[in-house]
């Protein structure tokens, strides 16, 4: 494996959120570029969202970051077989304030090998069904994915809300990074991921999101 890259763009803005309930009135319709950012519009749990996290805060990995998840099977000697492994999830995490309340947003691009995709690839979102995951230890179909929205308490990382989209799509803007000697894992604290996501959770809850975040950590999870 080599380095994953591509795409350019522009962006600059500030940080919070506000809201009441209502129907989706989003206008965000594409990835806004490779400058670090998190831009979300739409509704979730009846709250109107207008998240706008931009530089310099978006360059601070305590305020906005990505986490890469991998699956790595063991070989016949019970040693990690990195050549048989794959990326299986990306999480975009950001510290935001919604209606005066500090929250940690955990936005999951789940059950998909993003590291194998090229910039511009659009992937359909399907309803989450744990019995029929599009990605498992044996490999990923890479023809679909799950999209997850989670609110966490930033004080203790506990989940206050979590739900999977019923439909939507994610378009990869860029996946940047060079694997280490394993040929698979991009070292923690290096690389970044950007893209555009659009998801429908219910008749009234839907969001559009553009993001590009530095990747802070890696996780290996072979449990599914």
């Amino acid at each position: 494996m080599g380095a994953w890259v591509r795409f350019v763009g522009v962006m600059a803005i500030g940080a919070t959120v506000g809201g009441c309930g209502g129907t989706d009135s989003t206008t965000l319709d594409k990835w806004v570029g490779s400058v670090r950012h998190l831009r979300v519009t739409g509704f979730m749990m009846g709250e109107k969202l207008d998240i706008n996290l931009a530089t310099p805060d978006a360059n601070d990995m305590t305020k906005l970051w990505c986490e890469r998840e991998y699956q790595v099977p063991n070989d016949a000697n019970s040693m990690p077989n990195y050549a048989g492994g794959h990326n299986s999830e990306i999480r975009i995490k950001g510290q935001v304030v919604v209606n005066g309340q500090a929250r940690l947003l955990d936005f999951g691009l789940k059950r998909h090998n993003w590291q194998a995709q090229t910039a511009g690839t659009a992937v359909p979102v399907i309803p989450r069904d744990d019995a029929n995951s599009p990605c498992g230890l044996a490999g990923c179909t890479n023809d679909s994915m799950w999209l997850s929205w989670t609110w966490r308490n930033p004080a203790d990382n506990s989940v206050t809300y979590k739900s999977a989209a019923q439909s939507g799509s994610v378009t990869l803007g860029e996946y940047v990074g060079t694997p280490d000697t394993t040929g698979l894992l991009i070292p923690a604290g290096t690389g970044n991921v950007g893209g555009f996501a659009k998801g429908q959770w219910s008749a009234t809850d839907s969001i559009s999101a553009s993001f590009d975040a530095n990747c802070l950590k890696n996780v290996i999870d072979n449990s599914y």
Side-chain angles (χ1 to χ4, degrees), residues 109-172:
L109 285 59
K110 303 172 75 72
R111 305 302 189 262
H112 194 83
N113 182 359
W114 294 102
Q115 197 160 303
Q117 301 282 210
T118 57
T121 300
V123 182
V125 172
I126 61 173
R128 177 165 180 162
D129 177 1
D130 288 341
N132 294 285
S133 173
C135 198
L137 188 57
C140 300
T141 63
N142 262 28
D143 57 6
S144 60
M145 58 167 289
W146 299 342
L147 188 63
S148 173
W149 185 279
T150 303
W151 287 127
R152 294 181 180 271
N153 182 335
D156 59 11
N157 205 43
S158 59
V159 173
T160 58
Y161 174 82
K162 183 175 184 179
S163 184
Q166 296 302 299
S167 62
S169 67
V170 175
T171 302
L172 182 64

Side-chain angles (χ1 to χ4, degrees), residues 11-75:
M11 163 120 194
I13 337 198
T16 11
V17 194
C20 306
T23 56
D24 187 357
S25 59
T26 63
T27 55
L28 188 63
D29 62 359
K30 62 183 177 182
W31 182 52
V32 300
S34 58
V35 174
R36 304 297 175 265
H37 70 277
L38 174 62
R39 183 81 175 97
V40 182
T41 61
F43 290 87
M44 189 62 64
M45 300 170 61
E47 292 179 311
K48 183 176 181 179
L49 302 181
D50 190 359
I51 297 172
N52 210 344
L53 182 56
T55 55
D57 287 342
N59 283 321
D60 183 342
M61 283 192 283
T62 68
K63 297 178 180 179
L64 176 66
W65 68 97
C66 110
E67 297 178 359
R68 294 173 295 242
E69 185 170 293
Y70 294 91
Q71 292 185 306
V72 181
N74 287 333
D75 62 20

